[in-house]
């Protein structure tokens, strides 16, 4: 029987502006400016998560997600 080997899992770096971005969106939501929200996140242990609110217009939220995906891919390619 072969012995089990343990491997260290590197942590994702701490996002320096995570709380700031969440607070910006929370304040806009409290002012009634946001009709729906989708959130994707990466936990420090490498796991991912996502959630979304009730959506009055699915096409608008999906369009916003596609715009975000495009912006993230451009940023990734520019780095």
């Amino acid at each position: 029987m072969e012995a089990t080997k343990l491997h260290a899992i590197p942590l994702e770096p701490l996002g320096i502006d995570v709380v700031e971005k969440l607070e910006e969106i929370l304040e806009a939501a409290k002012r009634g400016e946001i009709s729906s929200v989708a959130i994707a996140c990466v936990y420090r242990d490498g796991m991912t998560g996502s959630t979304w609110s009730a959506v009055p217009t699915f096409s608008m939220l999906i369009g916003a997600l596609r715009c975000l995906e495009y912006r993230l891919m451009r940023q990734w390619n520019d780095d």
Side-chain angles (χ1 to χ4, degrees):
M1 180 186 256
E2 193 173 318
T4 302
K5 295 181 181 180
L6 298 177
H7 300 280
I9 299 172
L11 291 178
E12 279 283 312
L14 182 61
I16 59 172
D17 63 345
V18 171
V19 173
E20 178 185 336
K21 296 296 179 185
L22 289 170
E23 287 176 342
E24 287 174 12
I25 294 299
L26 180 59
E27 289 304 315
K30 286 179 179 180
R31 290 190 301 269
E33 298 172 359
I34 295 176
S35 64
S36 59
V37 65
I39 298 171
C41 58
V42 178
Y43 293 92
R44 296 211 50 225
D45 64 1
M47 298 295 290
T48 61
S50 61
T51 190
W52 57 90
S53 65
V55 181
T57 309
F58 273 105
S59 60
M60 293 291 290
L61 188 57
I62 290 169
L65 288 168
R66 291 290 167 232
C67 288
L68 176 59
E69 179 183 30
Y70 173 76
R71 292 173 57 201
L72 286 169
M73 293 302 290
R74 284 200 52 163
Q75 167 116 17
W76 182 57
N77 287 329
D78 289 345
D79 287 345

